[in-house]
Amino acid sequence: MTLKPDEAGRFGKFGGKFVPETLMNALEELEQAFYHCLGDLEFIQELKYLHKEYTGRPNPLYEAKNLTKHIGGAKIYLKREDLNHTGAHKINNALGQGLLAKYMGKTKIIAETGAGQHGVASATVAALLGLKCKVFMGEEDIKRQRLNVFRMKLLGAEVIPVSSGSRTLKDATNEAIRHWVTHVEDTFYMIGSVVGPHPYPYMVREFQKIIGQETKEQCLEKEGRLPDAIVACVGGGSNAIGIFSPFYEDKEVQLYGIEASGKGLETNQHAATLSKGLPGVIHGSYTYLLQDEYGQIEEAYSISAGLDYPGVGPEHAFYKDSGRACYLSITDDEALEAFKALSKTEGIIPAIESSHAVAAALKLAAQFSKEKIIIVCLSGRGDKDVEQVQKVLEGESEHV
């Protein structure tokens, strides 16, 4: 069983709908359509077909023997979301929301993106389903993720640069919400993570929980038991909640969410929302966020564009306060070392987001005995990051 929100869309005290009155009808329409489709056999069968024939699921649960030998502790497995079509877990959610948009009769979708993987997934699904697509993206992220911007344009999407604030994911989300308010009649807002007002956190979780469902089946098949620990990176938190949620009631499985501590938790240049933030409202949801003493949202920082967000999904906030999951943090430098370690030991170049999870898994594996099993959600591949990592390692840039 997975955790469900209450009628107000809250996980405990977190979540809910904190939006302008003009969006309430749109959210209620979305909620009704989503609950209908969850129980609609034709919708479910079409989504399963696309997962198998288009995305390439189920993807492998790969035993990383070289990496395990390199660290000398617990056995490490990688859940290979990087092998999905478009190269990340984001396609799982985009396919679900794209089909939902078609069911609702919407002809246009909008999306926001940081690292570009959700933007690419949204543009891909829009092309597949014949929908027009606009992707909002901060100017700073456009510079960091030029390859993904080019991919979105090739797929037929219009990329809208956002120049306000820190010009990153938070600001792109603000602009996407503003656009949705005035175009809600024919436009579907495809949110890319487990954030925003209800039903988005629950809906995105439902479309991403296939990661954890497959992981559970594959681990039982390979090892005859469940893992001892699961590790996943957390920005908004969609890949993490996707792999965590099917294990919610399996209390013997320790869940570790890994935030970006950037240049260190002692500085103001990090994105460790759950470690250093306080509860408040961001993008229509009550959750943990980085804020100053007056309640104003503080800018987040990470070497990874995909983790550079000052809020987090409300289900993660509930997991933190209830103690179901433990949230640790990894610095830029530690993530880069893990990026290199996985590349050299296994021939797998991970996304810099996923490298945060790999770095934490290496620390945990070294502390565990060889009989223990750790599974890392390898949420995306690193093709998009290679050029930028080269610049960082050669001292030409501090950003990926």
Side-chain angles (χ1 to χ4, degrees):
M1 292 288 290
T2 55
L3 181 68
K4 291 185 178 179
D6 63 20
E7 291 183 355
R10 291 176 179 255
F11 299 93
K13 66 182 181 180
F14 299 105
K17 297 175 184 172
F18 296 86
V19 295
E21 192 64 29
T22 49
L23 284 181
M24 287 302 289
N25 286 340
L27 289 173
E28 288 172 6
E29 179 194 18
L30 174 62
E31 188 174 354
Q32 289 175 9
F34 168 60
Y35 282 122
H36 171 83
C37 288
L38 273 187
D40 184 281
L41 186 59
E42 186 176 345
F43 180 91
I44 298 298
Q45 289 300 329
E46 187 171 4
L47 185 57
K48 282 184 177 179
Y49 170 81
L50 289 173
H51 279 326
K52 180 180 178 183
E53 303 293 342
Y54 191 71
T55 303
R57 303 200 74 94
N59 54 42
L61 181 66
Y62 169 72
E63 182 182 352
K65 293 181 179 178
N66 295 333
L67 190 66
T68 298
K69 184 178 180 181
H70 170 72
I71 204 66
K75 185 185 293 186
I76 300 173
Y77 280 92
L78 305 175
K79 180 56 178 168
R80 297 292 308 276
E81 292 298 307
D82 60 312
L83 294 181
N84 293 344
H85 177 50
T86 73
H89 71 292
K90 296 292 188 183
I91 191 70
N92 305 326
N93 168 57
L95 280 172
Q97 290 199 46
L99 290 179
L100 189 55
K102 290 280 282 186
Y103 169 81
M104 296 175 69
K106 306 294 185 183
T107 57
K108 302 173 183 174
I109 63 170
I110 58 169
E112 84 300 319
T113 194
Q117 289 303 95
H118 174 58
V120 169
S122 300
T124 298
V125 169
L128 175 70
L129 300 179
L131 301 168
K132 292 184 178 178
C133 180
K134 292 180 187 286
V135 180
F136 294 84
M137 192 169 187
E139 288 182 338
E140 180 62 30
D141 290 338
I142 287 176
K143 285 195 294 185
R144 290 196 262 184
Q145 299 292 336
R146 287 185 302 172
L147 177 60
N148 272 340
V149 172
F150 184 62
R151 292 168 73 193
M152 284 180 252
K153 291 179 177 177
L154 275 180
L155 291 160
E158 181 183 0
V159 179
I160 312 292
V162 175
S163 58
S164 58
S166 58
R167 299 174 295 155
T168 58
L169 179 58
K170 168 179 69 69
D171 312 291
T173 304
N174 290 339
E175 290 302 318
I177 291 174
R178 289 191 189 101
H179 182 90
W180 194 36
V181 167
T182 54
H183 298 82
V184 72
E185 290 301 319
D186 63 356
T187 300
F188 185 99
Y189 182 15
M190 188 177 282
I191 290 184
S193 193
V194 285
V195 299
H198 180 70
Y200 280 103
Y202 179 44
M203 183 170 68
V204 176
R205 195 282 302 279
E206 287 297 291
F207 291 140
Q208 291 291 2
K209 73 178 183 183
I210 192 170
I211 305 172
Q213 290 170 331
E214 284 181 8
T215 299
K216 181 178 278 191
E217 292 174 6
Q218 291 168 325
C219 191
L220 288 171
E221 181 181 344
K222 289 175 180 289
E223 294 285 348
R225 69 180 181 89
L226 297 180
D228 297 286
I230 295 176
V231 185
C233 65
V234 175
S238 65
N239 90 93
I241 215 69
I243 195 169
F244 287 175
S245 60
F247 292 90
Y248 177 71
E249 292 190 336
D250 301 308
K251 300 298 171 61
E252 71 272 28
V253 181
Q254 294 179 288
L255 306 176
Y256 292 94
I258 311 303
E259 301 187 300
S261 55
K263 295 185 177 179
L265 293 182
E266 71 282 6
T267 74
N268 62 357
Q269 291 185 289
H270 61 76
T273 307
L274 289 162
S275 301
K276 302 295 284 187
L278 293 169
V281 173
I282 182 170
H283 296 142
S285 183
Y286 184 73
T287 185
Y288 278 90
L289 66 145
L290 300 178
Q291 52 188 295
D292 63 20
E293 58 184 320
Y294 304 106
Q296 297 298 309
I297 296 171
E298 290 191 321
E299 304 293 351
Y301 163 83
S302 170
I303 194 172
S304 164
L307 302 181
D308 193 355
Y309 182 66
V312 68
E315 193 169 350
H316 282 294
F318 176 81
Y319 276 37
K320 170 190 163 62
D321 277 13
S322 66
R324 180 62 191 95
C326 177
Y327 292 88
L328 309 174
S329 62
I330 287 294
T331 66
D332 292 349
D333 289 343
E334 290 171 328
L336 284 172
E337 287 303 311
F339 181 95
K340 293 187 288 186
L342 185 59
S343 300
K344 289 179 179 177
T345 58
E346 297 287 352
I348 298 172
I349 300 175
I352 200 69
E353 293 90 340
S354 314
S355 299
H356 287 72
V358 174
L362 293 178
K363 285 185 176 181
L364 292 168
Q367 299 167 16
F368 290 178
S369 68
K370 293 184 177 180
E371 290 72 34
K372 300 287 187 181
I373 298 169
I374 296 178
I375 294 176
V376 182
C377 186
L378 202 67
S379 57
R381 69 185 184 215
D383 306 35
K384 65 183 178 61
D385 295 325
V386 169
E387 181 184 355
Q388 289 75 23
V389 167
Q390 180 187 18
K391 289 181 179 177
V392 172
L393 295 179
E394 293 178 353
E396 297 178 21
S397 171
E398 65 174 9
H399 288 305
V400 170

